[in-house]
Amino acid sequence: MTRKQAEFPQRNTRLSAQETRLWNWAQNAPLADKDQILQPENEHQLCELVAATSGKLRVMGSRMSPGRMLALDHADDRLIDTSLLRGLLSHDADSATFAGGTPLHEVYELLTGMGRMLPASPGVIDSQTLAGALATGTHGQGLYQSSIGDEALRIRMVLADGSVEEFDRRHPWFHAVQLGLGCLGVVTAVTLRTRPSAVYTCFKNAVSGDSLAEDLLEWNRNYALSKAWWFPDENQVHVWAAREATDEERAEYQSNHGDPLIQEESSDAMNQTIDRTLTHMRNDTQIRDENGKPFRTVTRFKDFSDITGDVYQVFCRGIATPQINVEIAIPLARAGAVIDHIKRWHAENQPHLHYPVILRCTGASESWLSPAWQQESCFFGFVVYYAEDGSLSEEGVAFLHEVEKLLAAEGGRPHWGKYFNAGLYDWSSLYPQMAAFREVRDALDPAHKFSNAFSQRLLG
């Protein structure tokens, strides 16, 4: 197992209208020549295109992932654009079926309009497609739920020979299909569990980091949903902890016409910490616009207030900004020890951070390749934003490399849709079901049609 340090790509900030290649969303990796893209209008056409393609195939949604997930290797390879395969296909009292190319924000909007929600809490960004969210293991926060894929009841796919197959929870391969890395087929429809919409009150606070290891467990055990931002330099933590609203809180929210109800009382307890963080970010990114997206991701923590709203209004608040995002899952039972390890390492090395450490815990997942497979987990997230010229802070990158090594040594499992150094991980040891996943892949796609260089290195 090689341990060569992977380099993070610079961002191309000068793409022109005449650019002949398609790049990923962050514009740090070309994926394919534009004439290699297939855009089927319906499932039947997709079946014909898949069957007729002699080269390899990859499937793209919103292109939010690192380039290695989607990049083509040869001229006869093709990239499938699923953006026309979207929308609500059907629904009943307890479930809804969406086309795989449906963006998550449309899923959430359509469900909200029906008075329904997913039992899984949303991730930060809602521009991903539903199929892309399943393929990479997208998750939110809260120990009493897990990934979006864990709410799937049935998944429909176009296979490598152009045939169509459906997998439900009784199928022996279902837990492989839940998180398939785009290597098993093209997901065209997903039936998701739904529940009646709930209103939440989210309590926001600023606390010392001294007892973070203990506090993290308490927040997640005592509240339905919880998320924390840890500022090690200042030894401060900003925490959001949400429970379902009381009858009185729900009535106040409804009298506000369904808009988020922000309490008038606010706290400035994070303001000094945020000002210092903003100084680091300005120096690292050289972005002069005071309202630039990277800055807005932290200025929202100033003068914070409690809020009442539906789960999407409260937690789906991400600001999509080009960045290098590393997220590693650690078994929750070891999260406290890892936090203490990071504290000691931080005190000894004084690494440079321009964004807090993000802490999101989830319940155990059933998906074979989920970082939270069969165990409650805490996802540690680390971010470095791109500078105006597309470069990355050298100190920020050095921090990412070192902290990933630390978490990998603790048995961490990286988020598939984010950045990681594959050389740090022994996949077969981390994922006991990896061999079973490979068998499913060989059965569904014997010629490995849905593959590229990255998936071949991973799966063989």
Side-chain angles (χ1 to χ4, degrees), residues 112 116-117 121-122 195-204 224-225 240-246 248-263 305-317:
T112 299
R116 308 292 293 179
M117 61 181 280
S121 69
R195 54 162 289 190
S197 292
V199 177
Y200 293 85
T201 292
C202 181
F203 301 95
K204 303 180 182 181
L225 305 169
W240 292 8
R243 56 150 172 77
E244 289 202 26
T246 64
E248 181 180 354
E249 291 164 345
R250 191 179 301 107
E252 290 178 354
Y253 167 74
Q254 291 168 346
S255 68
N256 199 44
H257 310 292
D259 292 328
L261 186 64
I262 301 172
Q263 299 300 317
S305 302
D306 298 342
I307 183 173
T308 298
D310 68 33
V311 68
Y312 308 116
Q313 293 168 330
V314 173
F315 282 98
C316 203
R317 302 283 300 279

Side-chain angles (χ1 to χ4, degrees), residues 6-24:
E7 295 302 322
F8 296 118
Q10 296 231 337
R11 183 169 186 260
N12 188 334
T13 61
R14 299 186 179 184
L15 292 180
S16 70
Q18 289 72 45
E19 172 65 40
T20 60
R21 296 177 297 175
L22 180 72
W23 291 63
N24 66 341

Side-chain angles (χ1 to χ4, degrees), residues 47-55 160 449:
C47 292
E48 293 180 334
L49 291 171
V50 169
T53 299
S54 59
K449 194 172 194 174

Side-chain angles (χ1 to χ4, degrees), residues 174-437:
F174 183 76
H175 298 314
V177 175
Q178 278 178 299
L179 197 167
L181 299 174
C183 296
L184 305 180
V186 186
V187 173
T188 58
V190 182
T191 300
L192 296 163
R193 265 190 292 248
T194 67
R195 54 162 289 190
S197 292
V199 177
Y200 293 85
T201 292
C202 181
F203 301 95
K204 303 180 182 181
N205 203 357
V207 300
S208 167
D210 288 347
S211 56
L212 176 58
E214 298 77 24
D215 291 342
L216 183 70
L217 288 174
E218 183 178 342
W219 297 327
N220 281 278
R221 295 290 183 208
N222 294 340
Y223 288 87
L225 305 169
S226 180
K227 183 176 181 179
W229 293 262
W230 173 25
F231 297 78
D233 289 349
E234 292 77 16
N235 191 34
Q236 193 171 31
V237 181
H238 184 47
V239 59
W240 292 8
R243 56 150 172 77
E244 289 202 26
T246 64
D247 290 343
E248 181 180 354
E249 291 164 345
R250 191 179 301 107
E252 290 178 354
Y253 167 74
Q254 291 168 346
S255 68
N256 199 44
H257 310 292
D259 292 328
L261 186 64
I262 301 172
Q263 299 300 317
E264 291 183 6
E265 183 178 351
S266 64
S267 170
D268 63 0
M270 291 298 302
N271 288 15
Q272 289 186 359
T273 290
I274 298 307
D275 285 338
R276 285 192 288 268
T277 300
L278 288 169
T279 297
H280 286 313
M281 291 176 69
R282 291 189 186 100
N283 291 338
D284 288 349
T285 65
Q286 297 300 304
I287 296 174
R288 301 305 177 193
D289 181 2
E290 291 296 314
N291 293 313
K293 284 185 177 181
F295 305 142
R296 283 190 278 134
T297 64
V298 291
T299 54
R300 59 183 172 162
F301 299 147
K302 296 181 74 171
D303 300 314
F304 60 83
S305 302
D306 298 342
I307 183 173
T308 298
D310 68 33
V311 68
Y312 308 116
Q313 293 168 330
V314 173
F315 282 98
C316 203
R317 302 283 300 279
I319 301 171
T321 306
Q323 61 187 250
I324 297 297
N325 189 322
V326 173
E327 189 177 43
I328 313 292
I330 294 289
L332 185 64
R334 297 218 314 275
V338 171
I339 287 170
D340 289 340
H341 191 168
I342 293 175
K343 284 182 177 180
R344 292 193 299 273
W345 173 77
H346 181 272
E348 292 170 4
N349 297 278
Q350 295 296 305
H352 177 78
L353 290 78
H354 73 202
Y355 198 81
V357 180
I358 307 163
L359 300 171
R360 294 188 294 167
C361 300
T362 75
S365 172
E366 299 173 306
S367 304
W368 288 350
L369 295 190
S370 169
W373 180 66
Q374 289 195 343
Q375 59 190 8
E376 295 178 326
S377 299
C378 181
F379 287 80
F380 289 70
F382 310 93
V383 171
V384 172
Y385 288 116
Y386 277 100
E388 191 95 311
D389 64 358
S391 65
L392 293 162
S393 158
E394 290 185 9
E395 291 179 305
V397 167
F399 164 72
L400 291 181
H401 285 314
E402 292 306 312
V403 79
E404 184 181 8
K405 289 177 187 176
L406 187 157
L407 268 70
E410 294 281 354
R413 296 169 173 170
H415 188 301
W416 294 109
K418 298 183 181 180
Y419 294 83
F420 56 85
N421 178 359
L424 295 175
Y425 305 96
D426 181 344
W427 301 118
S428 295
S429 296
L430 289 174
Y431 291 98
Q433 292 296 99
M434 180 66 83
F437 182 89

Side-chain angles (χ1 to χ4, degrees), residues 98-119:
F98 293 91
T102 310
L104 289 181
H105 67 85
E106 289 186 16
V107 172
Y108 302 153
E109 290 162 6
L110 288 163
L111 288 177
T112 299
M114 295 187 289
R116 308 292 293 179
M117 61 181 280
L118 298 182

